[in-house]
Amino acid sequence: MCDVCVTRAVKERMLSRRDFFRASAATAAAAAVGGGATLAAPPALAQGARQVTDMTHLFSPDFPTFGGVPGVEMRKDFDFAEDGYNLYTLTVNEHTGTHIDAPLHFSEDGLSVDELPLASLVVPLCVIDIRERAAGDRDTQVTPDDISAWIARHGDIPENACVAMNSGWATKVGTPEFRGADPARPGGLHFPGFHIEATEFLLEETPAQVMAVDTLSLDHGPSPDFATHYAWLPTGRYGIECLAGLDEVPVAGATLMVGAPKLRGGTGGQARVIALH
């Protein structure tokens, strides 16, 4: 099947599901959009945490991007020596560094980043560890079997959870391996991601609200159709890409706090992500 046909088929299959979840997510978002919104603490957070782990990469013009061009430009407009204070003007690509993919990123009328429900920004964290497999196959993907194995060991995926892939790719930031562009190995970029079947499993069998990866994309590098993006985001759920620190948190039991940018109409944006455990 041609790439365009595959993409169209995935989008059509998810249309009715998108409408259903968009309606429910929009209702929840209405209470969270305004300033001063509050949220009852999730159980893991209410019980207290002993450690705080930063899950955010250092953001700079040097951070690798999907397109291969710098995602942020810093222009210094005022200098302390001359003006008495420092100030930069930033030109930023929303999808650079540790960042959010809002539903609007891959749907015509999905929720923008400022419309994400507050309850979806403080969530249980479930880590699917595929580092061993990824070390031998940089195009590997999270499968339904990986998720089922996590459930068998740790119990059901919690309500509103973030299911994160730990492929070990965070250690490759700053090297060409992070993007995996290789002229000798056709297919664009090469890094792990979520298989469409794993994505559908999460949608149909779990109450997960967030999908996260330590790579540049929810889909694996050589994906021809962004099937996981088209399946996940139009349902009102969101994604986090380029997550750091997954080696430093437990695979179950942590609470993720996502500092989403409150940018009107944004399709995503840089996020300060912190885990409490």
Side-chain angles (χ1 to χ4, degrees), residues 27-132:
T27 300
V33 170
T38 58
L39 172 69
L45 184 59
Q47 292 170 8
R50 297 182 178 181
Q51 290 183 256
V52 179
T53 299
D54 192 352
M55 311 292 286
T56 317
H57 284 290
L58 182 65
F59 185 48
S60 76
D62 299 323
F63 195 88
T65 63
F66 191 88
V69 297
V72 58
E73 176 185 346
M74 300 177 64
R75 186 186 74 232
K76 193 167 189 179
D77 293 332
F78 296 91
D79 182 79
F80 188 84
E82 298 181 5
D83 305 301
Y85 62 98
N86 295 308
L87 187 147
Y88 290 89
T89 293
L90 305 181
T91 302
V92 180
N93 180 310
E94 292 174 307
H95 299 272
T96 304
T98 301
H99 68 275
I100 287 176
D101 280 6
L104 184 59
H105 186 37
F106 268 75
S107 59
E108 184 176 358
D109 57 356
L111 299 175
S112 57
V113 70
D114 59 298
E115 294 175 321
L116 293 175
L118 188 61
S120 73
L121 302 179
V122 184
V123 295
L125 177 62
C126 308
V127 181
I128 310 295
D129 191 338
I130 63 165
R131 286 177 292 178
E132 184 176 351

Side-chain angles (χ1 to χ4, degrees), residues 9-271:
V10 171
K11 291 170 70 176
E12 290 175 352
R13 186 167 69 250
M14 295 308 302
L15 182 60
S16 59
R17 183 184 290 151
R18 179 194 70 181
D19 292 341
F20 172 80
F21 282 104
R22 174 174 165 76
S24 58
T27 300
V33 170
T38 58
L39 172 69
L45 184 59
Q47 292 170 8
R50 297 182 178 181
Q51 290 183 256
V52 179
T53 299
D54 192 352
M55 311 292 286
T56 317
H57 284 290
L58 182 65
F59 185 48
S60 76
D62 299 323
F63 195 88
T65 63
F66 191 88
V69 297
V72 58
E73 176 185 346
M74 300 177 64
R75 186 186 74 232
K76 193 167 189 179
D77 293 332
F78 296 91
D79 182 79
F80 188 84
E82 298 181 5
D83 305 301
Y85 62 98
N86 295 308
L87 187 147
Y88 290 89
T89 293
L90 305 181
T91 302
V92 180
N93 180 310
E94 292 174 307
H95 299 272
T96 304
T98 301
H99 68 275
I100 287 176
D101 280 6
L104 184 59
H105 186 37
F106 268 75
S107 59
E108 184 176 358
D109 57 356
L111 299 175
S112 57
V113 70
D114 59 298
E115 294 175 321
L116 293 175
L118 188 61
S120 73
L121 302 179
V122 184
V123 295
L125 177 62
C126 308
V127 181
I128 310 295
D129 191 338
I130 63 165
R131 286 177 292 178
E132 184 176 351
R133 195 165 75 236
D137 179 9
R138 57 181 175 171
D139 292 335
T140 193
Q141 300 177 76
V142 175
T143 67
D145 286 345
D146 293 320
I147 300 170
S148 295
W150 189 97
I151 293 172
R153 176 169 292 187
H154 303 288
D156 291 340
I157 301 289
E159 191 76 25
N160 290 332
C162 172
V163 178
M165 174 191 77
N166 182 7
S167 68
W169 240 245
T171 64
K172 301 180 186 296
V173 170
T175 75
E177 290 183 65
F178 190 70
R179 294 182 73 243
D182 184 355
R185 189 174 181 180
L189 307 182
H190 296 279
F191 50 75
F194 276 84
H195 194 282
I196 181 58
E197 292 179 0
T199 305
E200 291 173 341
F201 181 93
L202 289 173
L203 287 168
E204 297 168 4
E205 305 295 336
T206 80
Q209 178 69 23
V210 190
M211 175 184 289
V213 294
D214 54 357
T215 59
L216 284 164
S217 176
L218 303 179
D219 289 274
H220 74 154
S223 170
D225 54 15
F226 295 108
T228 284
H229 278 82
Y230 279 116
W232 187 257
L233 297 180
T235 67
R237 295 167 170 84
Y238 72 92
I240 305 173
E241 295 172 336
C242 301
L243 200 61
L246 286 166
D247 296 347
E248 302 173 34
V249 298
V251 297
T255 296
L256 203 65
M257 303 184 68
V258 184
K262 207 168 183 179
L263 174 65
R264 180 180 296 160
T267 72
Q270 287 68 45

